[in-house]
């Protein structure tokens, strides 16, 4: 497994074009691999996420079973004339293997929190409709409902540090809620307009099941993984 980071030059039109379309970004990431990994849900897959940090930097993170070649992406959206290759790739397998139960980490996750509903006029035999959670309270609950099956537990706050009686029980925040709408190229039996809501979670967690947690880190969490959702990354807990 590999973890890759590449910084975008947002002054370039190619960067703005990619950042404005999750479909185009998905294609650019896919083209970094001569052989595309199988998407059968049984093994590691290619996951990606866009981060915008406090220094006004925009970076792409990729987790993949094979090492990528991002020459084409740097030529479109980076600094292609610099001597450095424009991206950094790190061996990820050793880090994953070293994770153990009880480890505590800071984490960031971009996800697509959704649920299935029936509208008042739907008939009993109608299929349920997938819709996004709109409020931070429901988005937080979406993640907390999945933590056990994902091999981790979000750390609870000391009650004395809770700012409110309800909704602030965990070291977890929601930020950068971003509704996205874009079009896919024409194709058969697929809806051309895609609408998703991408949310970023920042928090602290404790690993409860290392094997399951490794699967979460390499297969993603939730829906819309092809469009920049599902990738969780870890960082040491700052004291």
């Amino acid at each position: 497994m590999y973890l890759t980071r590449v910084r975008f030059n947002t002054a370039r039109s190619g960067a703005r074009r990619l950042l404005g379309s999750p479909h185009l970004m998905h294609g650019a990431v896919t083209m970094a691999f001569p052989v595309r990994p199988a998407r059968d849900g049984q093994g590691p897959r290619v996951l990606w996420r866009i981060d915008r940090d406090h220094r006004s930097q925009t970076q792409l993170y990729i987790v993949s079973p094979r090492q990528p070649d991002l020459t084409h992406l740097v030529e479109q959206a980076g600094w292609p004339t610099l001597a450095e290759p424009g991206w950094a790739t790190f061996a990820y397998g050793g880090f994953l293997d070293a994770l153990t139960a009880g480890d505590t980490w800071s984490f960031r996750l971009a996800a697509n929190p959704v649920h299935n509903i029936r509208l008042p006029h739907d008939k009993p035999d109608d299929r349920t409709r997938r819709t996004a959670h709109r409020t931070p309270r429901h988005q937080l609950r979406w993640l907390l409902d999945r933590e056990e099956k994902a091999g981790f537990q979000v750390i609870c706050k000391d009650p004395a540090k809770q700012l409110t009686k309800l909704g602030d029980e965990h070291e977890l925040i929601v930020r950068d809620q971003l509704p996205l709408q874009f079009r896919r190229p024409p194709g058969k039996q697929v809806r051309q307009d895609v609408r998703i809501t991408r949310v970023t979670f920042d928090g602290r967690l404790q690993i409860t099941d290392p094997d399951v947690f490794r699967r979460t880190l390499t297969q993603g969490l939730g829906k819309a993984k092809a469009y920049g959702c599902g990738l969780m990354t870890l960082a040491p807990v700052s004291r």
Side-chain angles (χ1 to χ4, degrees), residues 147 153-159 162 168-171 204:
E147 59 178 0
Q153 181 178 17
V154 177
I155 294 176
C156 292
K157 281 186 175 180
D158 184 326
Q162 295 178 17
D168 193 37
E169 297 88 353
H170 299 84
E171 295 194 25
R204 293 184 179 182

Side-chain angles (χ1 to χ4, degrees), residues 189-204:
Q189 299 179 349
V190 293
R191 188 172 58 188
Q192 302 310 312
D193 289 325
V194 180
R195 294 179 177 88
I196 63 173
T197 297
R198 188 170 64 208
V199 171
T200 301
F201 297 95
D202 283 341
R204 293 184 179 182

